[in-house]
Every structure is written in C-alpha cells, then in structure tokens.
Amino acid sequence: MFKFIKRNRNNDDKEIIELDYDRMPKHIAIIMDGNGRWAKERGLPRMMGHREGMKTIKKILDRSAHLGVKYLTLYAFSTENWNRPKDEVNALMNLIIEFAQKEGENLHKNNVKFNTIGDISKLPSNSLKAIKDLKELTKNNEGIVLNIALNYGGRNEIVYATKKICEKVCKGDINIEDINENLMSMNLYTKGMPDPDLIIRPSGEQRLSNYLLWQSAYSEFWYSNIKWPDFSERNLEKAIYDYQNRDRRFGKVKQ
Ligand code: IPE
Ligand code: IPE
Ligand code: MG
C-alpha cells in the first residue's frame, strides 16, 4: 500500500530513516552474540545473558515478519560451542526447550514456520523432542520462516552435503558431471531457501565464526557493538536501511 515507512533513528526525532518495502532483504541471518558479556557487565551469570537474549528473538522476529522478511536465520549454537563449560552447554540445551514451550503457540498463531539448520541429532533427546514438536506444529504455516541454527557449522554442513552427493554418485543416481553449485546448494541444510541477503553480527566481533560459509558468498555484512540482549527493532531497521543503501554488484559493473 505504501512504499516507504519512516522511523526515527537513535530516538532522535530529527533523524528519520526511510525503508523501501519493495527492496526488503528476503533473508536475514543474525549471529546472536554478546549474551555472556552483557551478563558480565551487570555482574550476572552468563546464563542470564542467554535468557535475556531469548527475549530479543521474539522482538526481532515480530519486526522482521512485519517488514516482509521471508526468512530469519538465527545462530544459536555452533559446532564449536560444545567446547564451553558443561553447565553452560546444558543450560543452553534447556533454554531451547523453554523457548519452544513459551513461544511455540505464539509462533504458530502468528503463522511462523519453525525450522532448524545443523545436525540436531546430537542434541539431548528432550531438546530434540521439543524441536521436532514445534516443527510439526508449524509445518504448514506460510508466514516468515524462523530458522534456528543449532549444532550448526558451515564446514560441517559442506562436509555433510559432500557426503550426500558422493552417496548419490556411488549409487549411480547421478554422474560426477552433474555436480555443480546448484546441486551443492540443494544438499545443504538451507535447501530451497534463498541465500542470506544480509548478515548481522552484534557485539563488536567482525567474523563469521563458521556461519553460512557457502551461502554468504554475496551477503552484505552489518556489524554493531550492541550486544544481542540489547539489540532492538530500531537496530534491525538501521541495518536494513544501510543494506538498502549499498550497491550490490555481484561481480558486475554498474550500469
Ligand atoms: C552468543 O553469546 C550465544 C551463544 C554462543 C550460545 P555468547 O555466549 O557468545 O556471548 P559472549 O560472546 O561470550 O559475550
Ligand atoms: C558464534 O558466536 C556462535 C553463536 C552466536 C551461536 P561465538 O561467541 O561462539 O563465536 P566466537 O567464539 O566469538 O568466534
Ligand atoms: Mg560470543
């Protein structure tokens, strides 16, 4: 109905940002980082930061859906995060269950399709059950896809895809000549989804930490010092605004 929405930036009434509804990123991926430091700054246990970070998910998901984003992929637990202290790993696994229990119905009501990427078979059985139930509940929803990256690693994903393709070659289902970029994409956890247009990393780190290595080939990156529990709808809109003001050339020369 209207092309632009206007938002004030940084609570400063004089500064207005305009978002173009016709050029919204289809797929936004976020590295939800900084929970531990957020808690430490407040003299709280790291777990409190993770808990607070869970609240941010809801806010950012709602706003993304409202803006017309089709896929929101959130990095929640990497293949390397198993190397954290056992207590923290356990607490994170329990938080997944809590998220599914607290938010599940709400996600369903809002037409959100819940999905995961990563090797969830390695998760504890009760976390796995909560995930499977929520996927089942929301499987026919047609609104925004909420992709949670759990026990996800980009390298692990590429190895997993390679094995699947090798199996097909060994069985004679495909020939080596059939292996191409499209076939690789179709064997990743993100099968059938567009590559992320925009990857956001809060908390000040400027690295991928094994996130979406294949899919990020032409993604725009946006970093900020804000820690994930403090990340707001306004920050999301600022990231989209910056994204819309960049020139994505995909290797071509501008006309
Ligand atoms: C991100 O926050 C959440 C997970 C990796 C599970 P961190 O726990 O990495 O927070 P920092 O980076 O230590 O502040
Ligand atoms: C990446 O953050 C993983 C998630 C946010 C789930 P990390 O905090 O684990 O990454 P590094 O250790 O700073 O690279
Ligand atoms: Mg971190």
Side-chain angles (χ1 to χ4, degrees):
M1 268 192 304
F2 48 95
K3 193 171 178 202
F4 295 111
I5 54 162
K6 295 189 173 196
R7 299 268 180 224
N8 296 333
R9 184 163 51 186
N10 302 329
N11 288 322
D12 177 351
D13 284 344
K14 289 186 205 98
E15 233 180 336
I16 303 280
I17 60 171
E18 289 185 343
L19 297 182
D20 184 345
Y21 256 109
D22 293 338
R23 291 190 305 119
M24 281 296 160
K26 273 200 188 67
H27 185 171
I28 297 180
I30 305 181
I31 301 172
M32 303 190 288
D33 198 19
N35 293 349
R37 279 164 283 169
W38 182 93
K40 195 172 174 212
E41 278 168 8
R42 288 159 180 79
L44 299 168
R46 291 178 58 85
M47 191 50 210
M48 293 301 285
H50 295 313
R51 194 168 283 282
E52 202 60 30
M54 194 167 81
K55 295 185 193 159
T56 307
I57 295 180
K58 193 175 154 18
K59 285 193 294 187
I60 298 306
L61 174 67
D62 286 353
R63 185 56 56 92
S64 299
H66 177 77
L67 291 171
V69 174
K70 301 285 180 239
Y71 297 86
L72 180 67
T73 300
L74 304 177
Y75 207 0
F77 195 87
S78 74
T79 46
E80 289 72 45
N81 287 149
W82 295 108
N83 300 320
R84 293 190 176 198
K86 212 164 173 267
D87 283 355
E88 182 168 346
V89 171
N90 288 341
L92 284 166
M93 293 299 142
N94 287 330
L95 204 59
I96 295 165
I97 303 173
E98 198 179 312
F99 175 78
Q101 284 171 350
K102 270 197 188 154
E103 297 301 329
E105 279 302 327
N106 218 16
L107 294 185
H108 185 42
K109 231 175 38 211
N110 289 323
N111 204 21
V112 175
K113 183 169 177 168
F114 177 81
N115 187 48
T116 58
I117 57 170
D119 181 7
I120 54 170
S121 72
K122 302 287 185 309
L123 266 48
S125 58
N126 51 354
S127 309
L128 190 57
K129 183 173 184 318
I131 288 164
K132 285 189 171 164
D133 288 351
L134 190 49
K135 278 189 189 176
E136 183 60 28
L137 178 70
T138 63
K139 70 176 180 198
N140 294 322
N141 290 349
E142 287 173 345
I144 190 169
V145 174
L146 172 64
N147 254 334
I148 304 283
L150 280 169
N151 190 23
Y152 175 87
R155 288 184 172 182
N156 174 277
E157 180 181 39
I158 292 167
V159 170
Y160 158 83
T162 306
K163 282 184 181 165
K164 283 206 290 182
I165 293 172
C166 287
E167 257 173 39
K168 287 174 197 161
V169 174
C170 289
K171 280 193 200 153
D173 294 346
I174 56 166
N175 297 314
I176 290 196
E177 295 70 43
D178 297 328
I179 302 174
N180 56 26
E181 292 182 12
N182 187 45
L183 188 75
M184 268 305 279
S185 296
M186 291 307 287
N187 282 280
L188 299 174
Y189 293 116
T190 50
K191 175 185 171 178
M193 300 175 197
D195 288 338
D197 302 291
L198 172 63
I199 297 185
I200 296 174
R201 182 163 192 161
S203 94
E205 311 302 351
Q206 301 196 355
R207 55 177 171 256
L208 269 179
S209 301
N210 207 5
Y211 199 33
L212 301 171
L213 298 184
W214 175 276
Q215 299 88 337
S216 62
Y218 272 100
S219 304
E220 294 295 327
F221 290 95
W222 194 86
Y223 300 105
S224 139
N225 288 330
I226 300 150
K227 296 178 184 68
W228 178 246
D230 287 332
F231 198 82
S232 66
E233 293 95 328
R234 189 178 296 274
N235 297 138
L236 175 75
E237 285 169 351
K238 176 63 170 64
I240 295 174
Y241 173 81
D242 288 345
Y243 162 85
Q244 290 187 337
N245 284 285
R246 291 191 193 169
D247 183 18
R248 298 184 84 188
R249 287 187 294 279
F250 299 98
K252 298 174 198 158
V253 175
K254 206 176 172 189
Q255 293 291 315

